[in-house]
């Protein structure tokens, strides 16, 4: 009589037996694997952000000066009251910061949109034109500042020589109390407009051609198609460009310090909040006051980010 060797089935798990601890951990880690892989980087970045911020907040509540290792005394919000009452340096620095950011950002967005529209459609030599436009982004802000400092030199600078060729008298540019801030804004626009061009060009290339073609068939001209079709569709991308570039423009320091030095010039003509806080820390060793300025500056940046984010959400709806 033949006997069939059938494979033995694994013993069934008893109905009332709970799953093992290893199985629970494996299932949980599998469900949350994307967070587990990202956790080390998130923790590292969080520590890099939180620790300096907490330390700066602590210094702003003390009378720290001379040396960060010196004994300090907790004085509460006295530094903030001192800074907010400073009408000679702090509030003018706030005004220059907002002016620098607002004017530079407006010029960069308008020029960036214009250049992006020119590069939107393919043309002969398009790649070379894009490379030439992106060249200012290659240089560091300090190098850009030193280059334009030589160009705008009142004695040997090329800018005044060019004005002399057309009969215009020499201008003080960076050395003038009334022209220095505008000159540094021009430098910032020259360097960072290509960044806005890249963002807006990416948004333009993602748009569908159907709305524009339909408007063209209906007889709309180029200006009507831009203001009533292209620009509304591009508003979320425009706000992203404003958010990214605006935050960076608020924090501008290197190009200002490279061109005007300590205090933003002899008459503090380009002294923004960053330059003011730097001077309090490294020129006068007033760490408590400078920390208070930085915390207030941080609050301005966070407030600006929140307003632009709310605006982006409203436009996206």
């Amino acid at each position: 009589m033949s006997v069939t060797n059938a494979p033995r089935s694994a013993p069934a798990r008893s109905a009332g037996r709970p799953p093992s601890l290893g199985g629970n951990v494996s299932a949980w880690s599998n469900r949350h694997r994307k967070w587990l892989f990202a956790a080390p980087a998130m923790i590292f970045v969080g520590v890099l952000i939180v620790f300096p911020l907490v330390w700066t907040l602590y210094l702003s509540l003390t009378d720290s000066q001379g040396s960060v290792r010196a004994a300090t005394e907790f004085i509460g919000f006295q530094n903030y009251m001192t800074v907010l009452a400073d009408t000679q340096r702090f509030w003018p620095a706030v005004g220059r910061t907002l002016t620098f950011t607002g004017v530079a950002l407006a010029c960069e967005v308008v020029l960036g949109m214009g250049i992006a529209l020119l590069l939107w459609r393919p043309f002969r030599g398009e790649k070379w034109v894009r490379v030439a436009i992106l060249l200012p982004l290659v240089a560091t802000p300090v190098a850009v500042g030193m280059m334009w400092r030589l160009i705008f030199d009142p004695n040997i600078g090329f800018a005044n020589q060019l004005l002399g060729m057309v009969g215009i008298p020499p201008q003080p540019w960076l050395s003038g109390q009334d022209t220095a801030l505008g000159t540094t804004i021009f430098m910032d626009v020259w360097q960072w407009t290509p960044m806005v061009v890249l963002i807006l060009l990416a948004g333009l290339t993602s748009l569908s051609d159907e709305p524009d073609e339909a408007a063209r068939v209906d007889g709309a001209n180029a200006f009507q198609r831009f203001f009533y079709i292209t620009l509304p569709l591009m508003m979320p991308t425009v706000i992203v460009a404003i958010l990214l570039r605006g935050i960076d423009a608020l924090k501008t320091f290197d190009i200002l310090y490279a061109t005007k030095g300590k205090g933003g010039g002899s008459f503090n003509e380009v002294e923004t909040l960053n330059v003011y806080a730097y001077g309090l820390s490294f020129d006068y060793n007033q760490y408590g006051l400078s920390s208070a300025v930085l915390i207030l500056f941080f609050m301005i940046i966070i407030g600006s980010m929140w307003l632009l984010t709310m605006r982006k959400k409203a436009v996206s709806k």
Side-chain angles (χ1 to χ4, degrees):
M1 183 176 67
S2 61
V3 178
T4 303
N5 295 326
R8 293 185 177 181
S9 59
R13 178 181 295 174
S14 59
R17 185 178 180 182
S20 63
L21 179 60
N24 285 336
V25 173
S26 177
W28 181 87
S29 61
N30 188 48
R31 290 195 306 269
H32 301 86
R33 58 184 180 275
K34 62 179 180 179
W35 297 107
L36 291 176
F37 283 119
M42 294 171 63
I43 294 173
F44 179 72
V45 173
V47 171
L48 288 181
I49 295 175
V50 172
F51 175 74
L53 183 60
V54 172
W55 180 250
T56 303
L57 180 61
Y58 165 75
L59 288 179
S60 70
L61 301 175
T62 66
D63 61 348
S64 177
Q65 57 182 332
S67 174
V68 292
R69 296 184 178 181
T72 60
E73 181 180 352
F74 183 81
I75 59 175
F77 294 97
Q78 183 62 45
N79 286 327
Y80 293 93
M81 296 174 61
T82 302
V83 168
L84 293 174
D86 183 8
T87 58
Q88 300 296 323
R89 298 284 293 277
F90 176 75
W91 287 111
V94 172
R96 294 187 199 98
T97 302
L98 298 179
T99 301
F100 182 94
T101 302
V103 176
L105 190 58
C107 294
E108 288 164 8
V109 171
V110 172
L111 291 175
M113 179 61 77
I115 297 173
L117 288 172
L118 292 176
L119 298 177
W120 187 14
R121 305 302 181 188
F123 57 90
R124 188 176 182 181
E126 174 187 3
K127 294 182 180 180
W128 294 106
V129 173
R130 291 191 179 190
V131 170
I133 290 175
L134 297 179
L135 283 178
L137 290 177
V138 178
T140 62
V142 173
V144 170
M146 298 304 296
M147 178 190 72
W148 283 106
R149 184 177 179 180
L150 291 175
I151 294 175
F152 287 126
D153 187 274
N155 298 317
I156 62 173
F158 176 73
N160 279 338
Q161 293 181 9
L162 186 62
L163 292 180
M165 295 178 183
V166 294
I168 300 177
Q171 302 297 317
W173 302 116
L174 288 169
S175 59
Q177 188 174 353
D178 298 327
T179 58
L181 185 61
T183 305
T184 54
I185 290 175
F186 169 81
M187 298 178 190
D188 188 84
V189 171
W190 180 85
Q191 182 174 24
W192 294 110
T193 297
M195 172 184 171
V196 181
V197 173
L198 286 178
I199 298 173
L200 298 181
L201 186 59
L204 286 172
T205 54
S206 66
L207 295 180
S208 174
D209 293 333
E210 295 179 359
D212 188 77
E213 292 176 355
R216 193 190 300 270
V217 171
D218 291 339
N221 57 38
F223 290 99
Q224 291 172 333
R225 296 198 306 272
F226 172 74
F227 285 106
Y228 292 103
I229 296 177
T230 305
L231 187 58
L233 293 175
M234 280 288 295
M235 280 309 297
T237 306
V238 172
I239 294 178
V240 170
I242 292 174
L243 180 63
L244 296 176
R245 183 62 203 124
I247 294 172
D248 199 32
L250 278 171
K251 302 182 298 181
T252 300
F253 169 79
D254 33 21
I255 196 171
L256 300 175
Y257 196 82
T259 54
K260 296 298 294 182
K262 296 180 179 180
S266 303
F267 299 96
N268 312 117
E269 53 267 25
V270 299
E271 185 182 57
T272 59
L273 284 175
N274 260 337
V275 178
Y276 178 51
Y278 179 89
L280 286 176
S281 296
F282 297 100
D283 295 337
Y284 302 105
N285 297 329
Q286 298 286 339
Y287 301 115
L289 286 175
S290 65
S291 298
V293 172
L294 291 175
I295 293 297
L296 292 173
F297 191 23
F298 178 75
M299 294 172 63
I300 292 174
I301 294 175
I302 294 298
S304 302
M305 290 176 58
W306 181 80
L307 290 175
L308 290 173
T309 303
M310 292 298 102
R311 177 60 180 169
K312 182 178 182 298
K313 291 181 178 179
V315 170
S316 300
K317 290 182 180 179

